[in-house]
């Protein structure tokens, strides 16, 4: 089937990025959130990011204006039922996601495809709570969405081939690359990335190195563009911890046990860039290591 309209649930960091790239690719986008302030902030941010792309010659001014014209917002989740494809990009809590899909179900068109931008939660389990598990799949964008080229497409046990091909077509129209992943905890990227970040936190916890030496070692010694602790702050330490818990619970292997120091930072509310403190303190002009 041909997708023309996209519903995006959640106007946060991921949701606004997804709305941005979908609108730029020519899709009509309906962006939903429970907060009018979040919607206003998302639209402003999308406009600034599009303007930045235009100033660098990556898109034209006409493309920028056309993309902004394709984005509408709503506080009413049922409004998304009239779209062809829904991308849920709410917080990484399974209970929240189930509630969102349950609220959407009575309002969906028969052909509407449901997807989740979850970074780790079982697609099969999310799909089983809906009336269309064959039209449900994981649509996992990387952060920041307008910049990162990869999208993980994750099939649940019931996802049919037509749904996969339709979502693959959307990824291709976005000019991004799809990686097909099976429905196992954390899929591909986070299955590999999060244990590395968790091990970096253990390295800090055990006093093998401080924040600066660990990040410098991986940037200069392994040619990583960001150190693992800097990257964790960018992702959000609460998100990192949630994914490690999914890996630990889902695979029952002690190698995925979250580091106690990661848990402690999350308990303190030091979640990284978004709260001003994580493994670095961002409240001054220059980020300063907190350990």
């Amino acid at each position: 089937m041909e997708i023309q309209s996209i519903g995006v649930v959640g106007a946060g960091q991921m949701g606004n990025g997804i709305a941005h790239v979908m609108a730029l690719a020519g899709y009509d986008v309906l962006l939903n959130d429970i907060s009018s302030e979040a919607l206003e902030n998302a639209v402003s941010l999308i406009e600034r990011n599009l303007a930045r792309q235009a100033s660098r010659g990556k898109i034209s001014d006409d493309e920028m204006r056309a993309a902004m014209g394709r984005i509408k917002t709503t506080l009413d989740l049922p409004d998304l039922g009239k779209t062809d494809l829904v991308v849920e990009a709410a917080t990484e809590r399974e209970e929240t996601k189930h509630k969102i899909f349950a609220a959407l179900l009575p309002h969906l068109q028969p052909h509407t495809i449901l997807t989740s931008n979850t970074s780790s939660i079982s697609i099969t389990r999310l799909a089983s709570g809906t009336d269309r598990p064959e039209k449900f799949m994981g649509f996992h964008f990387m952060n920041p969405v307008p910049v990162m080229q990869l999208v993980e497409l994750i099939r649940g046990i019931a996802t049919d081939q037509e749904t996969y091909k339709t979502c693959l077509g959307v990824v291709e129209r976005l000019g991004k690359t799809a990686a097909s992943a099976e429905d196992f905890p954390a899929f591909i990227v986070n299955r590999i990335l999060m244990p590395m970040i968790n091990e970096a936190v253990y390295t800090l916890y055990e006093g093998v190195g401080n924040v600066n030496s660990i990040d410098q070692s991986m940037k200069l010694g392994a040619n990583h563009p960001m150190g693992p602790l800097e990257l964790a702050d960018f992702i959000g330490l609460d998100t990192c911890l949630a994914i490690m818990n999914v890996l630990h619970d889902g695979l029952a292997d002690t190698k995925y046990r979250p580091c106690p120091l990661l848990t402690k930072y999350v308990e303190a509310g030091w979640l990284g860039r978004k709260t001003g403190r994580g493994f670095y303190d961002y409240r001054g002009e220059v980020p300063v290591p907190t350990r």
Side-chain angles (χ1 to χ4, degrees):
M1 64 170 282
E2 185 181 353
I3 301 294
Q4 295 179 324
S5 57
I6 310 272
V8 180
V9 184
Q13 194 172 35
M14 297 303 293
N16 77 66
I18 294 167
H20 172 143
V21 298
M22 292 293 190
L24 196 55
Y27 294 108
D28 293 323
V29 177
L30 188 56
L31 180 60
N32 162 262
D33 201 278
I34 57 174
S35 161
S36 56
E37 184 182 3
L39 289 172
E40 289 167 11
N41 290 341
V43 170
S44 296
L45 182 59
I46 292 167
E47 192 166 23
R48 289 198 302 274
N49 288 339
L50 284 167
R52 187 182 299 116
Q53 286 180 299
S55 70
R56 293 174 179 172
K58 293 184 177 180
I59 61 173
S60 68
D61 288 342
D62 286 345
E63 287 174 317
M64 178 184 77
R65 283 190 290 270
M68 287 305 301
R70 294 186 192 104
I71 299 172
K72 302 288 187 292
T73 63
T74 181
L75 290 167
D76 297 319
L77 185 62
D79 289 348
L80 271 59
K82 61 192 176 190
T83 61
D84 300 319
L85 170 69
V86 174
V87 183
E88 173 274 313
T91 186
E92 190 70 353
R93 293 193 189 96
E94 186 168 343
E95 183 184 355
T96 300
K97 295 179 187 298
H98 279 297
K99 286 180 179 177
I100 287 167
F101 291 124
L104 270 172
L105 288 180
H107 309 282
L108 296 176
Q109 300 180 88
H111 69 266
T112 300
I113 293 173
L114 292 177
T115 69
S116 176
N117 183 59
T118 179
S119 52
S120 60
I121 296 167
S122 167
I123 299 303
T124 299
R125 208 159 56 232
L126 289 175
S128 69
T130 74
D131 63 354
R132 60 195 67 205
E134 72 286 349
K135 291 185 181 296
F136 193 112
M137 73 179 304
F139 210 140
H140 181 217
F141 288 85
M142 305 296 125
N143 184 36
V145 179
V147 175
M148 301 297 279
Q149 290 301 301
L150 186 75
V151 179
E152 284 183 316
L153 291 181
I154 306 103
R155 277 179 275 210
I157 197 169
T159 307
D160 64 26
Q161 187 64 10
E162 183 186 357
T163 298
Y164 172 77
K165 284 184 176 178
T166 301
C167 290
L168 179 60
V170 172
V171 175
E172 290 171 346
R173 182 164 158 182
L174 296 177
K176 296 187 183 293
T177 299
S180 296
E182 293 303 315
D183 186 24
F184 290 99
F187 319 130
I188 297 172
V189 173
N190 284 319
R191 172 76 176 263
I192 298 167
L193 176 63
M194 286 302 159
M196 184 198 77
I197 287 175
N198 194 51
E199 195 61 31
V201 183
Y202 266 114
T203 306
L204 178 65
Y205 176 63
E206 293 168 5
V208 180
N210 60 29
V211 168
N212 196 49
S213 63
I214 291 166
D215 277 353
Q216 274 194 338
S217 294
M218 293 308 292
K219 283 192 283 188
L220 302 179
N223 207 26
H224 289 194
M226 295 174 75
L229 301 175
E230 182 186 7
L231 180 57
D233 275 358
F234 181 76
I235 294 167
L237 303 192
D238 52 338
T239 300
C240 294
L241 179 60
I243 296 170
M244 286 309 302
N245 280 324
V246 166
L247 281 166
H248 191 225
D249 294 344
L251 298 171
D253 192 323
T254 55
K255 73 179 181 180
Y256 298 115
R257 184 180 61 200
C259 179
L261 184 61
L262 178 60
T263 302
K264 191 66 65 181
Y265 268 73
V266 172
E267 288 173 344
W270 291 19
L271 308 181
R273 284 179 178 267
K274 61 187 175 185
T275 58
R277 274 189 293 190
F279 292 113
Y280 293 85
D281 190 328
Y282 300 93
R283 294 173 298 173
E285 290 184 16
V286 179
V288 177
T290 54
R291 290 180 91 84

